[in-house]
Amino acid sequence: MEQNDLIYKPTHSKILEDGSFTWKAPSNIALIKYWGKREPQLPENASISFTLDACSTLTTINFSKGLPNENIDFDIYFEDEKKDDFKPKIEKFFERIKQYVPYISDYNFVIKTRNTFPHSSGIASSASGMAALTLCILSMEKALNPDISDELFYKKASFLARLGSGSAARSIEGPLVVWGEHHKIENSSDLFGIKFSGTVHENFKNYHDTILLVDKGEKQVSSTVGHNLMNNHSFAQQRFVQANENMIKISETLKTGDLKSFISIVESEALTLHSMMMTSHPYFILMKPNTLEIINKIWAFREKTNSNICFTLDAGANVHILFPEKEKESVNDFIISELIQFCQNNHYICDRVGFGARQIQ
Ligand code: DP6
């Protein structure tokens, strides 16, 4: 598929004066990490993530026809409050996607958005947020051109969401999404995410992700600054090769159900991501003492009980604890008795693998 195939071409005379659409899009947690990108928002290596279920963004757009405008006219509300400081990011997003969805220039928008996870939880909402907004816009396209196939709809959604935030490309479908071209993964592309089409063992069905909120503050390093750290990084090229090798290893593991191998790939990916930040210029340590306390407790628990619990991290101090459905009782007991003491105000979120975004209205 070429990028030009994703440009909207009016094929119908449908008229859309005004209306509204609502979508709920999930967050995702990368098993193999995307860290390092080039223009326009293309990943330096392939990545794969579990789509989440509970952590999501609910977005409604109200649109009405206005005078065609160079700059798209919109207001944005977050949790019922007008948020002008969110505008620059969305303006940039509209600017990037306009050539593929030219009809947006004919409308004025009111965007209302909220997250299902608590405000200031330190959980990035850009993936779910950009995915939900994109899907609302694409619902307009579907109204203008009802013949658009589901396949093209979801591909284009991922393609556009990527232009808002790279990881948003993985927040459209589920339960496992690959983003980034990989010679061993058929149909994989730098332009959009695809559903992982390999065999997935029973062990990974309904996998759990409990998110321990170690630090609920603003991100210390924005994702743009973070990805830029990989430009001219001494280890960057090797890291991109390693990530692509890990993609092959994890595909095999997902097929065989080998949980020990899954653990070693996933934890190594998390620590490698943080090592990249520690060895860049400028350098950062995004883990907090409690992040390490949690990791050590997880390792001790695994040693003692032979559990298949493991952790992963994104670009911050919070810890995602991954575990299979059949261990949910024992791991929940362990989390409550030994880990939540390391969370800010004892806060944590229980989530699990989900199946992608849903249209609400
Ligand atoms: C560490 O998608 O937030 O979570 O493309 O600049 O918006 P932008 O970055 P973003 O980066 C996510 C990085 C990560 C790893 C991952 O999700 O793969």
Side-chain angles (χ1 to χ4, degrees):
M1 157 117 17
E2 294 294 321
Q3 301 202 43
N4 283 347
D5 298 335
L6 297 166
I7 299 175
Y8 170 73
K9 295 170 200 79
T11 49
H12 275 73
S13 51
K14 289 261 180 220
I15 293 170
L16 192 61
E17 283 299 331
D18 51 30
S20 83
F21 291 109
T22 301
W23 278 83
K24 188 176 179 183
S27 190
N28 69 75
I29 181 69
L31 305 171
I32 307 299
K33 307 291 181 182
Y34 147 57
W35 197 240
K37 64 176 173 182
R38 55 187 198 283
E39 283 295 325
Q41 202 94 295
L42 299 168
E44 292 284 12
N45 61 263
S47 59
I48 184 168
S49 50
F50 273 140
T51 304
L52 296 181
D53 183 43
C55 289
S56 55
T57 300
L58 188 68
T59 299
T60 298
I61 60 165
N62 286 288
F63 53 91
S64 54
K65 225 166 188 167
L67 293 173
N69 206 338
E70 210 13 61
N71 302 314
I72 314 288
D73 194 335
F74 71 97
D75 281 325
I76 168 114
Y77 293 79
F78 179 67
E79 286 169 0
D80 298 324
E81 222 178 279
K82 196 154 181 267
K83 282 277 186 195
D84 286 340
D85 48 329
F86 281 20
K87 282 190 116 176
K89 195 165 178 183
I90 294 171
E91 265 157 14
K92 196 165 159 205
F93 173 59
F94 282 154
E95 207 41 55
R96 281 185 156 175
I97 65 169
K98 219 163 62 182
Q99 55 178 309
Y100 304 102
V101 287
Y103 49 87
I104 60 172
S105 305
D106 301 340
Y107 295 88
N108 301 325
F109 294 92
V110 177
I111 305 166
K112 291 188 176 159
T113 184
R114 57 178 67 249
N115 294 332
T116 56
F117 41 92
H119 190 43
S120 321
S121 56
I123 300 189
S125 57
S126 63
S128 52
M130 286 298 175
L133 177 58
T134 300
L135 286 157
C136 290
I137 291 169
L138 271 188
S139 282
M140 295 176 68
E141 181 155 331
K142 194 161 172 85
L144 288 162
N145 173 18
D147 292 342
I148 184 172
S149 68
D150 278 357
E151 194 196 343
L152 183 59
F153 182 92
Y154 286 107
K155 197 169 270 184
K156 184 163 178 179
S158 177
F159 171 85
L160 297 175
R162 181 200 104 234
L163 293 168
S165 176
S167 55
R170 301 188 313 239
S171 269
I172 304 290
E173 295 184 281
L176 280 152
V177 178
V178 170
W179 170 46
E181 192 176 338
H182 193 288
H183 68 289
K184 291 269 184 192
I185 303 178
E186 224 185 329
N187 300 323
S188 59
S189 169
D190 285 350
L191 301 176
F192 43 76
I194 55 163
K195 265 206 246 185
F196 176 70
S197 58
T199 313
V200 178
H201 191 277
E202 257 321 286
N203 284 348
F204 297 105
K205 303 273 158 75
N206 214 8
Y207 225 68
H208 289 252
D209 178 6
T210 296
I211 308 161
L212 302 185
L213 305 177
V214 171
D215 183 8
K216 302 203 256 174
E218 279 282 305
K219 269 197 189 171
Q220 203 186 102
V221 181
S222 77
S223 63
T224 306
V225 171
H227 287 284
N228 282 343
L229 296 174
M230 290 302 272
N231 300 335
N232 306 317
H233 190 300
S234 314
F235 308 139
Q237 292 314 316
Q238 249 163 302
R239 159 62 195 154
F240 303 143
V241 169
Q242 179 204 42
N244 285 330
E245 285 169 2
N246 280 343
M247 288 294 290
I248 302 179
K249 289 187 189 157
I250 205 150
S251 305
E252 188 56 24
T253 301
L254 289 168
K255 184 160 111 192
T256 60
D258 180 347
L259 292 166
K260 297 295 174 221
S261 147
F262 178 82
I263 291 169
S264 97
I265 300 165
V266 168
E267 291 191 347
S268 165
E269 274 290 315
L271 295 178
T272 302
L273 170 71
H274 281 252
S275 315
M276 288 297 119
M277 287 182 233
M278 296 202 301
T279 49
S280 56
H281 291 281
Y283 39 79
F284 297 94
I285 301 182
L286 299 186
M287 290 190 233
K288 297 278 186 225
N290 281 352
T291 312
L292 289 174
E293 293 282 1
I294 292 167
I295 292 174
N296 281 318
K297 287 271 184 195
I298 289 173
W299 285 347
F301 180 73
R302 207 158 65 208
E303 183 77 34
K304 197 169 97 194
T305 64
N306 204 25
S307 160
N308 290 301
I309 181 175
C310 75
F311 71 86
T312 187
L313 308 164
D314 49 25
N318 296 333
V319 183
H320 288 248
I321 302 192
L322 304 177
F323 51 98
E325 165 79 6
K326 59 173 184 248
E327 292 186 26
K328 68 175 180 221
E329 272 92 23
S330 57
V331 172
N332 277 337
D333 289 349
F334 162 64
I335 290 172
I336 290 164
S337 64
E338 295 203 42
L339 299 186
I340 59 170
Q341 56 176 314
F342 300 113
C343 299
Q344 233 181 316
N345 308 326
N346 292 348
H347 282 173
Y348 65 104
I349 300 172
C350 294
D351 209 341
R352 61 178 65 196
V353 168
F355 297 91
R358 269 192 308 123
Q359 183 168 9
I360 306 295
Q361 216 180 46

